[in-house]
């Protein structure tokens, strides 16, 4: 499973384009190579079998032609061996020179008049039983070593005819057909030997030439011992064992009259086909290089490779076309999603096609549309929530603050008959008008400061001058807008929770000044304070006032704005409101 997981991770790190190309190459080239190699082997094997069969038939035909030619010389050799005059001459011993000359003339007359003499018979030699020349018709002779080889071959091949390759005095390539001469009706006594010298060209030019071998091919006439007697290829040495000793071993391994096998000669693979003539104990061996056999297969394979390359190019073009039909809508989706993630919810993919990608694009568009609706709904809910909280704040003022203030004013009025009552009622009237009647969420900073002053005026009546308010307001900032009732909860928190209740006058500072990112409204006091590092802050107006102020500012202007409180026990509290500059 881990290997599969690693493979998937590896593939996911490769572009789709390259994955498609690699997949196409793997699923196309590998089967194509397999089919090409398999077809080439099948074709080569079929050609080899057909050529082997054809060559075997051809060698059989060559053998027939060879036997036809050889029979002429065998007949000539036999005619000499059974001639009574020749046998009589070989039986006589201690002949004088005159008697021997008359016998030679008689033999010459017999050869010329009574025996058919084939054209390629270059010489007729008769040896006595001691191996000495008794009669020689031609004008070319053998070397002594070759004569010994011929006599040895006669003994080795007995009772069959002997075939031996020799080189004459005149450097002629000769095949010597040799046979023993026996006393008539008695094969136990040898009188001599009959030698027929045959021109080797009879085999290489007359018998083998019609085979029409291609370049690199050859055909041999070889004896059972592996000695080459004749060769169509004149580069092969005659009268010697074939250069590749495994040839004869493989032929003997076949143990058949005819067959074929593969053999490597001089670094080149050859198809070897042979035919064995039992009567003369000789082999006809054909060599055909596989390069020639596979030439047509190679041409076919080359044409197939060219065709395959063209098809691969066409398929690659198709793959790229398909890839772009997939990647283009995906890229469009990615770009659109990036814009949407950046906050542009009005962006849409708008793919009107009918494939799976279009279906995915439409789903993304619908999802973004739904997100937009939900955000709008959420914003509406937040706005409604702020309005409700503001109303709650307003309603809190009505039942608690209003009645407490009125009770205070009533007591003061009954006790002092003072202008304080008139001022208190006027401040209360203005404050109620601005909070309950004016429904606008945003007012000017000047109006917010005016409401704060009314609030402090009323609270000053309630707390009998226990606090003093100082104003440090930049006149140029009074016309900028601010959310309504954001200072009053802070002022109430300072008056109610900052006072020591021991007669000490609480000092309160209200400041308004420019900040780096907008306007800062600050309300500070020198009251009791609290530890601002822990969550034990006093909560004004039933617990929603200060949090309400902070949430309203952030909902309207973002996280860069809002309320920041700093306080320490015994050192007072500083509340800073940061809002943007809005005219």
């Amino acid at each position: 499973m881990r290997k599969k997981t690693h493979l998937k991770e590896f593939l996911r790190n490769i572009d789709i384009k390259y994955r498609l190309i690699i997949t196409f190459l793997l699923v196309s080239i590998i089967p194509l190579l397999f089919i090409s190699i398999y077809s080439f082997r099948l074709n080569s094997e079929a050609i080899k079998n057909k050529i082997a069969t054809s060559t075997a038939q051809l060698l059989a035909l060559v053998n027939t032609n060879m036997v036809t030619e050889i029979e002429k010389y065998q007949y000539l050799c036999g005619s000499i061996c059974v001639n009574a005059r020749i046998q009589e001459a070989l039986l006589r011993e201690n002949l004088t020179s005159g008697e021997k000359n008359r016998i030679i003339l008689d033999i010459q007359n017999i050869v010329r008049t009574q025996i058919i003499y084939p054209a390629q018979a270059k010489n007729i030699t008769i040896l006595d039983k001691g191996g000495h020349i008794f009669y020689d018709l031609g004008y070319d002779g053998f070397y002594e070593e070759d004569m010994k080889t011929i006599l040895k071959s006669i003994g080795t091949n007995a009772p069959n005819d002997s075939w031996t390759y020799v080189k004459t005095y005149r450097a002629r390539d000769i095949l010597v057909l040799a046979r023993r001469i026996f006393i008539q009706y008695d094969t136990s006594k040898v009188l001599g030997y009959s030698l027929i010298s045959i021109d080797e060209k009879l085999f290489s030019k007359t018998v083998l030439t019609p085979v029409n071998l291609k370049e690199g091919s050859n055909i041999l006439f070889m004896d059972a011992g592996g000695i080459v007697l004749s060769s169509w290829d004149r580069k092969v040495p005659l009268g010697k064992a074939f250069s590749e000793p495994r040839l004869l071993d493989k032929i003997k391994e076949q143990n058949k009259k005819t067959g074929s096998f593969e053999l490597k000669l001089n670094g080149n693979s050859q198809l070897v086909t042979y035919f064995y003539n039992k009567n003369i104990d000789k082999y006809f061996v054909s060599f055909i290089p596989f390069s020639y056999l596979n030439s047509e297969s190679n041409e076919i394979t080359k044409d197939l490779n060219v065709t395959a390359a063209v098809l691969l190019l066409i398929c690659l073009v198709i793959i790229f076309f398909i890839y772009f039909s997939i990647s283009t809508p995906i890229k469009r989706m990615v770009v659109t999603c990036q814009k949407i993630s950046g906050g542009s919810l009005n962006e849409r993919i708008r793919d009107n096609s009918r494939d799976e990608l279009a279906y995915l694009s439409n789903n993304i568009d619908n999802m973004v549309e739904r997100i937009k609706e939900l955000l709008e709904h959420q914003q509406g809910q937040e706005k409604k929530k702020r309005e409700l909280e503001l109303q709650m704040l307003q309603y809190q003022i009505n039942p608690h603050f209003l009645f407490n203030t009125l009770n205070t004013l009533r007591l003061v009025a009954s006790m002092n008959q003072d202008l304080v009552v008139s001022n208190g009622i006027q401040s209360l009237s203005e404050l109620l008008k601005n909070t309950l009647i004016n429904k606008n969420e945003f007012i000017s900073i000047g109006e917010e400061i005016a409401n704060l002053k009314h609030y402090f005026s009323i609270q000053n009546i309630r707390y009998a001058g226990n606090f003093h308010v100082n104003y440090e307001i930049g006149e140029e900032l009074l016309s900028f807008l601010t959310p309504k009732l954001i200072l009053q909860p802070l002022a109430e928190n300072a008056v109610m929770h900052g006072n020591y209740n021991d007669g000490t006058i609480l000092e309160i500072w209200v400041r308004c000044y420019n900040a780096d990112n907008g306007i800062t409204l600050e309300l500070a006091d020198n009251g009791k304070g609290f530890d601002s590092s822990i969550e034990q802050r006093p909560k004004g107006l039933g617990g929603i006032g200060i949090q309400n102020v902070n949430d309203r500012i952030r909902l309207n202007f973002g996280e860069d704005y809002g309320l920041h409180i700093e306080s320490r026990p015994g050192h007072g509290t500083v509340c800073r409101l940061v809002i943007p500059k809005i005219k």
Side-chain angles (χ1 to χ4, degrees), residues 3 5 106 189 224 252 260 271 284 308 326 328 434 439 446:
K3 288 184 178 179
T5 303
D106 290 341
K189 187 175 182 180
K252 291 180 178 179
S260 62
L271 175 62
F284 295 96
I326 297 173
T328 302
N434 291 329
K439 302 296 182 181

Side-chain angles (χ1 to χ4, degrees), residues 9 97 114 157 216 224 245 260 308 471 483 550 569:
E9 291 177 355
S97 297
Q114 299 180 18
N157 290 279
S260 62
Y471 294 95
N550 187 50

Side-chain angles (χ1 to χ4, degrees), residues 331-343:
K331 289 179 180 178
R332 190 159 60 240
M333 280 190 282
V334 171
V335 172
T336 305
C337 289
Q338 288 176 343
K339 292 181 179 179
I340 292 171
S341 64

Side-chain angles (χ1 to χ4, degrees), residues 150-395:
I150 293 171
L151 292 174
K152 182 179 178 181
S153 177
I154 293 173
T156 303
N157 290 279
N160 296 325
D161 292 340
S162 167
W163 291 86
T164 308
Y165 169 84
V166 297
K167 202 91 167 175
T168 66
Y169 294 149
R170 298 186 179 182
R172 290 182 180 179
D173 294 318
I174 297 297
L175 289 181
V176 178
L177 171 62
R179 183 182 297 181
R180 295 176 180 181
I181 302 175
F182 299 101
I183 296 176
Q184 195 171 11
Y185 309 116
D186 185 3
T187 59
S188 63
K189 187 175 182 180
V190 178
L191 296 178
Y193 306 94
S194 173
L195 309 181
I196 307 297
S197 298
I198 307 170
D199 192 342
E200 187 270 338
K201 293 180 180 178
L202 168 69
F203 304 98
S204 62
K205 300 296 184 182
T206 304
V207 178
L208 304 183
T209 298
V211 176
N212 192 23
L213 298 176
K214 299 298 180 182
E215 184 179 355
S217 303
N218 191 21
I219 187 167
L220 299 178
F221 181 48
M222 187 174 69
D223 67 14
I227 303 300
V228 178
L229 301 178
S230 180
S231 171
W232 181 80
D233 185 0
R234 307 311 292 173
K235 295 178 182 178
V236 177
L238 302 180
K240 297 180 180 179
F242 189 69
S243 58
E244 178 53 66
R246 292 180 299 167
L247 173 64
L248 193 60
D249 295 336
K250 281 188 168 288
I251 290 176
K252 291 180 178 179
E253 285 175 8
Q254 299 271 329
N255 196 24
K256 294 187 295 185
K257 180 179 179 181
T258 183
S260 62
F261 52 86
E262 184 178 346
L263 186 67
K264 207 159 191 178
L265 297 176
N266 300 323
N268 298 320
S269 294
Q270 303 269 346
L271 175 62
V272 179
T273 307
Y274 69 91
F275 184 91
Y276 175 64
N277 188 321
K278 185 178 181 181
N279 295 327
I280 61 174
D281 194 24
K282 299 294 182 289
Y283 289 100
F284 295 96
V285 185
S286 169
F287 299 88
I288 301 178
F290 274 99
S291 58
Y292 168 70
L293 295 178
N294 296 330
S295 59
E296 293 185 1
S297 297
N298 291 332
E299 289 297 324
I300 293 173
T301 303
K302 188 184 297 182
D303 293 340
L304 284 176
N305 290 336
V306 172
T307 304
V310 173
L311 291 176
L312 283 175
L313 288 176
I314 295 173
C315 292
L316 281 176
V317 172
I318 295 174
I319 285 290
F320 274 106
F321 181 76
I322 298 298
Y323 164 73
F324 285 119
S325 71
I326 297 173
S327 64
T328 302
I330 291 177
K331 289 179 180 178
R332 190 159 60 240
M333 280 190 282
V334 171
V335 172
T336 305
C337 289
Q338 288 176 343
K339 292 181 179 179
I340 292 171
S341 64
S344 180
L345 294 179
N346 293 321
E347 293 291 333
R348 298 293 182 273
I349 302 173
R350 294 187 177 87
D351 193 336
N352 297 322
S353 302
R354 298 182 179 180
D355 60 358
E356 291 83 353
L357 293 176
Y359 176 76
L360 178 61
S361 299
N362 291 331
N363 283 337
I364 293 175
D365 287 344
N366 294 334
M367 181 179 65
V368 174
E369 189 67 33
R370 180 62 178 161
I371 291 173
K372 183 179 179 183
E373 292 175 358
L374 290 174
L375 285 176
E376 291 176 350
H377 178 72
Q378 183 182 8
Q379 290 174 354
Q381 292 293 321
E382 292 292 339
K383 183 176 181 182
K384 187 174 181 181
K385 178 181 176 182
R386 292 196 303 271
E387 292 175 353
L388 291 173
E389 289 177 348
L390 183 60
Q391 289 178 3
M392 288 176 64
L393 182 62
Q394 293 169 346
Y395 293 151

Side-chain angles (χ1 to χ4, degrees), residues 328-529:
T328 302
I330 291 177
K331 289 179 180 178
R332 190 159 60 240
M333 280 190 282
V334 171
V335 172
T336 305
C337 289
Q338 288 176 343
K339 292 181 179 179
I340 292 171
S341 64
S344 180
L345 294 179
N346 293 321
E347 293 291 333
R348 298 293 182 273
I349 302 173
R350 294 187 177 87
D351 193 336
N352 297 322
S353 302
R354 298 182 179 180
D355 60 358
E356 291 83 353
L357 293 176
Y359 176 76
L360 178 61
S361 299
N362 291 331
N363 283 337
I364 293 175
D365 287 344
N366 294 334
M367 181 179 65
V368 174
E369 189 67 33
R370 180 62 178 161
I371 291 173
K372 183 179 179 183
E373 292 175 358
L374 290 174
L375 285 176
E376 291 176 350
H377 178 72
Q378 183 182 8
Q379 290 174 354
Q381 292 293 321
E382 292 292 339
K383 183 176 181 182
K384 187 174 181 181
K385 178 181 176 182
R386 292 196 303 271
E387 292 175 353
L388 291 173
E389 289 177 348
L390 183 60
Q391 289 178 3
M392 288 176 64
L393 182 62
Q394 293 169 346
Y395 293 151
Q396 275 189 323
I397 293 175
N398 287 333
H400 299 287
F401 174 70
L402 181 59
F403 286 111
N404 289 335
T405 304
L406 289 176
N407 286 333
T408 302
L409 290 175
R410 181 177 61 80
L411 291 174
V412 173
S414 64
M415 291 173 60
N416 298 315
Q417 296 294 320
D418 199 296
L419 291 176
V420 175
V421 175
S422 176
N423 294 335
I425 294 174
Q426 182 179 0
S427 296
L428 177 62
S429 176
E430 290 295 330
L431 184 60
L432 292 175
K433 181 180 67 174
N434 291 329
T435 56
L436 300 178
I437 298 175
N438 186 359
K439 302 296 182 181
N440 294 327
E441 185 176 356
F442 290 91
I443 60 176
S444 67
I445 293 177
E447 291 175 321
E448 181 69 11
I449 296 298
N451 287 334
L452 186 63
K453 287 180 178 180
H454 290 310
Y455 176 78
F456 277 130
S457 177
I458 295 170
Q459 290 287 40
N460 196 32
I461 295 173
R462 180 180 178 185
Y463 289 97
N466 286 339
F467 62 88
H468 180 261
V469 182
N470 304 287
Y471 294 95
E472 299 176 7
I473 309 296
E475 294 293 331
E476 72 280 3
L477 302 176
L478 294 177
S479 60
F480 289 96
L481 295 180
T482 180
K484 185 168 60 175
L485 296 177
I486 61 172
L487 292 177
Q488 182 180 323
L490 305 181
E492 185 174 1
N493 184 69
V495 172
M496 294 179 65
H497 302 285
N499 204 320
Y500 284 99
N501 296 321
D502 60 355
T504 303
I505 295 177
L506 177 70
E507 289 292 335
I508 298 175
W509 289 271
V510 178
R511 302 183 181 94
C512 180
Y513 53 87
N514 283 305
D516 293 337
N517 55 344
I519 298 173
T520 297
L521 295 170
E522 183 177 287
L523 194 147
D525 64 68
N526 62 349
K528 293 188 296 183

